[in-house]
Amino acid sequence: MDETAGTRRVATDYVECLERRDWAGLTALLAEDVVYDMPQTRERIRGRAAFVQFNAEYPGDWHLRVRRLVADGRFAAVWLDVRVGDDRLDACVWVDVDERGRVERITDYWPESYDPPAGRDHLVERW
Amino acid sequence: MDETAGTRRVATDYVECLERRDWAGLTALLAEDVVYDMPQTRERIRGRAAFVQFNAEYPGDWHLRVRRLVADGRFAAVWLDVRVGDDRLDACVWVDVDERGRVERITDYWPESYDPPAGRDHLVERW
């Protein structure tokens, strides 16, 4: 398995372990000093134990489905369809894998809905 | 050049043409029936001419820099550092390339800053 295929496998497993609440499986995918960044809130979690705990404690009946997964060398990008009860949102996740094939950095974006600005409706349709 | 390398080139050129305001260059990268989606506002632009016009008319002195570009077959994901005057924001862009090597779909996310929810500060540091 080449580096890109390994990264694709790890990023896929990462989402599947979260969805299954498989904390032992998740732990096995992560570097001990993994860093998890949420740039929108400027929050950072350092270390495998804290990151697994963060997910285990995360409130709500959340579910993840991969819309797209793009892997390239040691980097992956995952476009997620997230459901929490009746709410739906998309997430963009950037995954870095280290030379041993473990996840060493995760950067999550949670884009929220907003109203379109004025002045472009001559070019745009809404759905 | 294999498919992934071609996609990487097209996605890189896409950002560079936007940054240079090179509308002829941008046009040459796009399929005639390109679709541009902004899921946060549920806006869609159909067709190369409208999409180029949208960018040419986009207000503000905006500048784009690639933080990361991940290419995989006919898909790319681009993590952008965007500056508009003194404002800084990140964007996540999903690019689909058709079998002729032209961009056929672009999906843009513009995640905004927000305050972190309570209850996780025992695991999190702020930057």
Side-chain angles (χ1 to χ4, degrees), chain B residues 23-92:
Chain B
W23 308 128
L26 179 62
T27 299
L29 296 173
L30 302 172
E32 193 171 349
D33 58 351
V34 63
V35 174
Y36 175 67
D37 278 346
M38 292 171 277
Q40 291 167 275
T41 55
R42 303 192 313 282
E43 290 176 290
R44 176 168 294 150
I45 296 173
R46 290 180 191 274
R48 184 162 62 188
F51 179 62
V52 172
Q53 185 181 346
F54 171 79
N55 285 288
E57 292 180 359
Y58 204 92
D61 182 29
W62 47 270
H63 292 282
L64 312 178
R65 189 181 64 82
V66 172
R67 286 182 63 159
R68 183 171 299 173
L69 197 156
V70 183
D72 190 353
R74 286 209 220 143
F75 297 133
V78 189
W79 182 0
L80 286 179
D81 177 8
V82 182
R83 286 167 200 267
V84 186
D86 291 334
D87 290 337
R88 242 209 94 257
L89 62 163
D90 300 336
C92 301

Side-chain angles (χ1 to χ4, degrees), chain A:
Chain A
M1 189 155 61
D2 71 7
E3 195 172 65
T4 292
T7 297
R8 189 179 291 115
R9 180 73 262 158
V10 168
T12 302
D13 289 348
Y14 167 72
V15 177
E16 289 178 357
C17 284
L18 287 169
E19 175 61 21
R20 287 200 310 266
R21 277 61 169 166
D22 175 1
W23 308 128
L26 179 63
T27 299
L29 297 173
L30 302 173
E32 195 172 348
D33 57 351
V34 63
V35 174
Y36 175 66
D37 278 346
M38 293 172 276
Q40 291 166 274
T41 56
R42 301 192 314 280
E43 288 177 293
R44 176 169 295 151
I45 296 173
R46 291 179 190 275
R48 185 161 61 188
F51 180 62
V52 172
Q53 186 182 344
F54 171 79
N55 284 287
E57 292 181 1
Y58 203 93
D61 182 29
W62 48 270
H63 292 283
L64 312 178
R65 189 180 63 81
V66 172
R67 286 181 65 160
R68 180 171 300 171
L69 198 155
V70 183
D72 190 355
R74 287 208 218 141
F75 297 134
V78 189
W79 181 1
L80 286 178
D81 176 11
V82 183
R83 286 166 201 271
V84 187
D86 291 334
D87 290 336
R88 246 209 91 257
L89 62 162
D90 301 336
C92 300
V93 182
W94 302 89
V95 178
D96 303 18
V97 173
D98 69 15
E99 73 286 349
R100 296 173 56 212
R102 297 201 168 179
V103 176
E104 65 176 356
R105 189 166 210 112
I106 302 153
T107 308
D108 263 14
Y109 288 94
W110 298 87
E112 302 204 349
S113 298
Y114 61 91
D115 291 325
R120 62 200 200 189
D121 46 310
H122 59 301
L123 298 171
V124 165
E125 63 189 76
R126 302 292 304 282
W127 80 79

